[in-house]
Amino acid sequence: MTNVRKCFAVSMLSLFIAGATNVSYRSALAQTIDEVKANGATIAIANDPPLMTMNADGSPGGLGPEMDAAILAEAGITKYSGQVMEYGAMIPALQSKRATLSTSGALYIKPERCEAVLFSDPVSCNAEVLIVPATLADKVKTYKDIAEQGLTIGVCGGCYEQKLALAAGVKEDKIVVFPDATSGIKLLTDKRIDVYAHDSYTGAAMFKRLNPKEMRFVRLDDLKSCAAAGFNKDSSALRDAYNDGLRKIRADGKYIEILKKYNFEEGAHVENVTTENLCAK
């Protein structure tokens, strides 16, 4: 294979062998449910408490990982670990199988993402929010307002909010990408951005840290999205087992119990929402 990389003249036989080797390699990477049960699952998470975080003992915690743990347990998977990364790195991690799944609250189901990974059934749905200084409270109600006024917006890298900002006409040099929610709030309080954008759940948690006299919370209920666990395209059996587990914890009440623990009952409103429909939009 070294000689193949060094020169362009490659015989058809060599190409066939290289292709066959690559297919074999991909198959070797594929994880069966039994292998995950034996070796444990690696869950991709972001540093975004209370939605997801790493506990002091090194285990993944927060709403998403706790939900995942309950669902995976129904499939007989009780060993798991967390790998912290930015949102934008999660799909590449799933594709390369550096992660078994992305936690249930991390990635929204969007058509372009459906082309790259498999999604479970929707686990939770929420709206979008903007946090702005009180001086901008009457001036910023939409992403278009941000674009028209030339304001600087902070978003998490690879998140849906970045796409919303660009689609509304916000110029790229007016978009500041932050690695985690806490860093984004610091950018806002340091006046390095004019607007902080996130989903309604994380946004509400971050807003509690701020002085309500100085900041305002703008909820965009017309922009509703649904999150789910993501899997490698080769892991349909594992995804199906996850869906079975999700149905079971919904039926026995564990699902709503976890949402209530994290004050996110509104996330349970996934009626008439399917992954198939969300991928097709």
Side-chain angles (χ1 to χ4, degrees), residues 245-264:
L246 176 57
R247 284 189 284 270
K248 288 176 181 177
I249 69 166
R250 279 200 172 110
D252 68 15
K254 183 66 175 178
Y255 169 79
I256 195 67
E257 178 185 321
I258 294 173
L259 289 180
K260 286 181 177 179
K261 175 181 176 180
Y262 290 92
N263 299 311
F264 191 40

Side-chain angles (χ1 to χ4, degrees), residues 143-144 146-153 162 164-176:
Y143 277 86
K144 188 176 180 181
I146 298 168
E148 291 178 345
Q149 296 173 56
L151 300 174
T152 300
I153 183 173
Q162 187 172 8
L164 289 172
L166 290 169
V170 179
K171 298 185 181 301
E172 288 192 18
D173 62 357
K174 290 294 185 179
I175 299 176
V176 176

Side-chain angles (χ1 to χ4, degrees), residues 46-276:
N47 180 23
D48 196 356
L51 186 57
M52 60 195 104
T53 188
M54 289 296 281
N55 296 321
D57 63 0
S59 63
L63 172 57
E66 187 166 340
M67 188 73 75
D68 298 327
I71 293 168
L72 291 172
E74 294 292 343
I77 300 168
T78 56
K79 294 193 295 185
Y80 56 89
S81 60
Q83 187 172 342
V84 179
M85 60 188 72
E86 293 185 11
Y87 285 97
M90 289 185 179
I91 287 179
L94 294 172
Q95 291 176 319
S96 64
K97 298 192 177 173
R98 290 183 288 109
T100 313
L101 70 154
S102 58
T103 188
S104 58
L107 298 177
Y108 287 149
I109 305 170
K110 299 297 177 183
E112 61 275 16
R113 290 174 174 170
C114 295
E115 294 179 5
V117 297
L118 295 176
F119 280 106
S120 70
D121 291 336
V123 178
S124 62
C125 298
N126 57 17
E128 294 293 321
V129 299
L130 305 173
I131 300 178
V132 300
T135 53
L136 292 176
D138 296 327
K139 299 178 181 179
V140 177
K141 302 294 184 182
T142 67
Y143 277 86
K144 188 176 180 181
D145 292 338
I146 298 168
E148 291 178 345
Q149 296 173 56
L151 300 174
T152 300
I153 183 173
V155 300
C156 56
C159 290
Y160 182 50
E161 292 75 24
Q162 187 172 8
K163 181 178 179 180
L164 289 172
L166 290 169
V170 179
K171 298 185 181 301
E172 288 192 18
D173 62 357
K174 290 294 185 179
I175 299 176
V176 176
V177 175
F178 51 76
D180 55 64
T182 300
S183 299
I185 287 297
K186 190 172 190 318
L187 288 172
L188 182 66
T189 56
D190 288 347
K191 299 182 179 180
R192 294 171 60 190
I193 59 174
D194 303 306
V195 182
Y196 171 95
H198 220 302
D199 63 80
S200 58
Y201 180 68
T202 300
M206 293 297 106
F207 188 71
K208 291 178 181 179
R209 304 183 184 185
L210 301 172
N211 185 336
K213 294 182 179 179
E214 298 177 357
M215 297 291 173
R216 295 291 186 271
F217 188 84
V218 181
R219 187 180 173 98
L220 310 177
D221 284 308
D222 59 319
L223 296 175
K224 185 177 180 180
S225 297
C226 298
F231 299 84
N232 183 280
K233 285 280 190 176
D234 292 338
S235 301
S236 58
L238 184 58
R239 186 275 312 272
D240 292 345
Y242 188 98
N243 282 343
D244 287 341
L246 176 57
R247 284 189 284 270
K248 288 176 181 177
I249 69 166
R250 279 200 172 110
D252 68 15
K254 183 66 175 178
Y255 169 79
I256 195 67
E257 178 185 321
I258 294 173
L259 289 180
K260 286 181 177 179
K261 175 181 176 180
Y262 290 92
N263 299 311
F264 191 40
E265 292 95 324
E266 69 169 281
H269 297 302
V270 296
E271 301 89 352
N272 303 317
V273 179
T274 68
T275 297
E276 183 180 8

Side-chain angles (χ1 to χ4, degrees), residues 7-20:
C7 65
F8 292 100
V10 184
S11 69
M12 292 301 293
L13 178 60
S14 296
L15 285 172
F16 175 80
I17 294 172

